[in-house]
Amino acid sequence: MPRSKAADKRQAKDTTDVSGPAAKRPATRATKAKVNSKTKRAKNSKHTDSKTEAEPVDMSEELFAQYQDFERTDGKNMIGPEGFERLSTDLGYDMSRIEPLVLMWKLGCTEMGTVPYENWTQSLSSMGASNLDQLKKAVDSAVSKLESDQKVYKQFYRQMFDYLKTGKQKVISVDYAKDILPVIKGAKDTLFDRFVAFLDANSEKIKTINRDQWQSLLELSRSMDDSLSGYSKEDAWPAMFDDFAEWVQNQK
C-alpha cells in the first residue's frame, strides 16, 4: 500500500491514550482502569438465564482513543496515519497488501489513513463491530466480497482514486498509481500489470492520471483480455488508451 503523504516514516514516539473521543488531554490512570474494568466485567458476567450468552462489551470508543493522536493530528478528533498503521498492524494486516486499503474504505476514511471520529462510530456500527475481532471479521469478509461482487469491487476501486489524489487536485501521480494497482488488482484484472509496464515505459511522457482514465482502466480490464485484441479507437476510450493498445500490440 502506498505510504500516506503525511506519514512516510513511522515515528518512534508512541501514541498516548485519551480518555474519550472528545477529550484533548492524555489519558489518566482512571481511564485505563475504566477500560480494564469493562473488560473484567465482560469476562465475569453471569446471567440467571443459562441460555443467554453474555453480550460483548462495546469497546469502540476505547479503541478510537487508543489509536488517536492529538499531537500528530493538530488536536483534531481523528485517527491519523500513524494510528491507522498501528490499527492495521494490530489486526494482523501487512501494510503492503490490500487489507489496510479495504479497512480504510470500510472505516470511511476521508483521505489516506485518516479516520474522523464520526466516521469511525458510524462505520463500526454499520459493520456490527465493537472490538478488534469483530472489525477484522468484517474487513476480511469485505476483502472476500471484492472477488465475488463486481459492483462492490467497482465502488472500492473508484474510492482509491480519491485516496491517492492530493487535496483538491483532479489528478493522481503516476507513481502512486503504479504502487497501488498491483495491490488492488483482482484475479480478472491481468491488464493492470501491463498498464503499469506501459506507464514505466512512458514515464517521461505520462506524469498524471485523471479520474476518467482511472475509471476507464477498470472497464477496459473487465471487457477485454490483456492482449487488447478487440480494442478500437472508435470506441471512445480516453486517448491514453489508444497509445496503450498500440504499445501492447507492439509487445507481441
Side-chain angles (χ1 to χ4, degrees):
M1 156 179 159
R3 291 299 302 271
S4 166
K5 296 178 281 301
D8 289 333
K9 293 184 178 180
R10 183 168 182 176
Q11 300 295 323
K13 180 179 178 181
D14 291 332
T15 302
T16 56
D17 290 343
V18 293
S19 58
K24 295 189 177 182
R25 53 187 173 79
T28 62
R29 292 182 179 178
T31 302
K32 296 178 180 179
K34 177 181 177 182
V35 175
N36 292 335
S37 177
K38 277 191 174 185
T39 305
K40 185 176 181 180
R41 287 200 306 271
K43 291 180 179 179
N44 297 331
S45 177
K46 296 181 179 180
H47 297 272
T48 55
D49 184 354
S50 59
K51 296 182 180 180
T52 302
E53 295 183 358
E55 295 183 0
V57 175
D58 186 343
M59 300 290 290
S60 57
E61 291 195 2
E62 284 80 0
L63 284 175
F64 184 86
Q66 180 179 344
Y67 297 106
Q68 187 182 25
D69 187 348
F70 283 115
E71 182 178 339
R72 293 174 185 158
T73 57
D74 297 324
K76 296 178 181 177
N77 204 21
M78 63 174 58
I79 294 173
E82 295 291 338
F84 179 83
E85 185 170 342
R86 288 190 295 107
L87 170 61
S88 298
T89 300
D90 288 349
L91 288 170
Y93 295 145
D94 184 336
M95 295 303 292
S96 67
R97 297 177 61 84
I98 195 173
E99 287 83 2
L101 294 170
V102 175
L103 173 63
M104 198 181 304
W105 176 53
K106 295 299 290 183
L107 287 178
C109 287
T110 52
E111 57 184 73
M112 186 73 78
T114 300
V115 193
Y117 174 72
E118 294 77 11
N119 295 32
W120 170 270
T121 55
Q122 293 172 8
S123 298
L124 261 65
S125 177
S126 66
M127 287 187 279
S130 60
N131 55 53
L132 287 181
D133 286 341
Q134 293 173 344
L135 179 57
K136 180 175 174 58
K137 287 180 181 179
V139 173
D140 290 348
S141 176
V143 171
S144 298
K145 197 168 185 179
L146 293 181
E147 282 294 334
S148 61
D149 192 323
Q150 291 191 26
K151 184 177 180 181
V152 172
Y153 180 84
K154 186 175 183 178
Q155 295 171 350
F156 166 74
Y157 175 87
R158 290 190 168 191
Q159 183 62 46
M160 293 303 103
F161 183 88
D162 291 316
Y163 290 155
L164 295 176
K165 68 185 183 71
T166 303
K168 296 182 179 180
Q169 290 185 359
K170 296 182 179 180
V171 296
I172 61 174
S173 163
V174 162
D175 290 334
Y176 283 124
K178 290 191 299 183
D179 282 345
I180 203 172
L181 284 171
V183 177
I184 66 174
K185 71 174 183 177
K188 301 177 182 178
D189 302 314
T190 56
L191 196 61
F192 282 13
D193 290 335
R194 306 206 75 172
F195 185 69
V196 169
F198 164 74
L199 293 177
D200 280 332
N202 293 271
S203 58
E204 295 300 318
K205 178 182 178 182
I206 305 174
K207 301 294 186 182
T208 61
I209 295 175
N210 62 37
R211 188 181 297 274
D212 184 42
Q213 293 166 339
W214 178 262
Q215 294 181 359
S216 295
L217 174 62
L218 179 61
E219 301 303 323
L220 189 67
S221 71
R222 294 295 169 93
S223 61
M224 298 185 190
D225 59 33
D226 59 4
S227 69
L228 293 181
S229 57
Y231 185 88
S232 173
K233 294 182 179 180
E234 304 301 319
D235 290 338
W237 294 101
M240 176 192 290
F241 293 108
D242 293 347
D243 296 335
F244 176 42
E246 182 178 349
W247 179 85
V248 168
Q249 292 162 6
N250 289 336
Q251 301 304 302
K252 296 179 180 178

